C-alpha cells in the first residue's frame, strides 16, 4: 500500500471519480469525446495530483500538487454546470455530485492549510 492510499481525501476523490463515470454513462454518445472526456479527465486529475504530490520530496511541492488538484476540482464544477444546463445531468444527481465536491474542496483546503502551517514552524 502506498502512503497516499491512506489519505482520506484521496479515497474520497477516488470514490467521486467512480460516481462521475457512472453519471456520464447516460450522457449522449456524441459527447463521448467532448464533455464526457473533459469531465472524467478533470475529475481523475484530483486524486492523481494528490497521489503525485504525496510522492514529492517536500511539503512545498506537495502543497503545489494539492493546489493543482483543487484547480481540477473547480474545472469539474464548471463542466458539471455545463452538463446540467445541457440537461445531460438531472437536478438531484447534480446536487449529489456538488455535495461531494464541496466535501472534497473543504478537505483539500484544510490539508493545504495544515501543510502551510507546518512549513512556518
Amino acid at each position: 500500500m502506498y502512503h497516499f492510499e491512506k489519505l482520506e481525501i484521496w479515497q474520497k476523490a477516488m470514490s467521486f471519480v467512480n460516481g462521475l463515470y457512472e453519471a456520464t454513462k447516460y450522457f449522449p454518445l456524441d459527447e463521448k469525446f467532448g464533455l464526457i472526456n473533459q469531465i472524467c479527465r478533470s475529475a481523475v486529475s484530483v486524486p492523481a495530483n494528490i497521489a503525485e504530490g504525496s510522492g514529492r520530496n517536500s511539503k512545498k511541492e506537495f502543497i503545489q500538487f494539492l493546489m493543482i488538484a483543487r484547480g481540477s476540482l473547480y474545472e469539474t464544477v464548471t463542466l458539471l454546470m455545463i452538463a446540467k444546463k445541457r440537461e445531460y445531468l438531472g437536478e438531484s444527481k447534480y446536487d449529489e455530485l456538488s455535495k461531494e465536491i464541496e466535501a472534497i474542496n473543504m478537505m483539500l483546503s484544510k490539508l493545504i492549510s495544515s501543510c502551510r502551517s507546518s512549513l512556518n514552524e
Side-chain angles (χ1 to χ4, degrees):
M1 178 177 266
Y2 293 98
H3 170 71
F4 64 84
E5 291 177 286
K6 297 175 188 170
L7 296 172
E8 186 180 345
I9 180 66
W10 180 84
Q11 294 169 8
K12 189 155 191 71
M14 288 291 287
S15 176
F16 175 68
V17 168
N18 286 333
L20 270 180
Y21 270 91
E22 284 300 311
T24 58
K25 275 185 185 178
Y26 305 103
F27 283 26
L29 285 179
D30 62 343
E31 287 291 355
K32 184 175 183 178
F33 298 108
L35 195 56
I36 294 170
N37 185 43
Q38 282 188 274
I39 289 171
C40 292
R41 287 171 57 96
S42 66
V44 165
S45 180
V46 178
N49 276 291
I50 294 167
E52 185 173 353
S54 74
R56 294 299 172 136
N57 293 326
S58 72
K59 277 249 168 82
K60 193 172 182 179
E61 286 181 293
F62 185 38
I63 292 168
Q64 182 62 35
F65 278 89
L66 294 175
M67 299 291 289
I68 293 167
R70 187 163 59 186
S72 294
L73 191 64
Y74 291 170
E75 179 183 357
T76 305
V77 169
T78 301
L79 295 166
L80 290 176
M81 287 177 175
I82 293 167
K84 183 180 165 209
K85 285 185 186 288
R86 303 283 305 158
E87 298 181 354
Y88 301 155
L89 204 54
E91 190 76 36
S92 64
K93 190 60 166 174
Y94 177 82
D95 289 344
E96 177 188 322
L97 293 170
S98 292
K99 285 179 185 170
E100 287 185 69
I101 288 170
E102 287 174 27
I104 292 167
N105 187 42
M106 187 174 289
M107 292 172 80
L108 272 171
S109 293
K110 286 180 181 178
L111 184 53
I112 291 166
S113 182
S114 174
C115 288
R116 282 183 175 154
S117 291
S118 70
L119 278 178
N120 297 327
E121 293 175 351

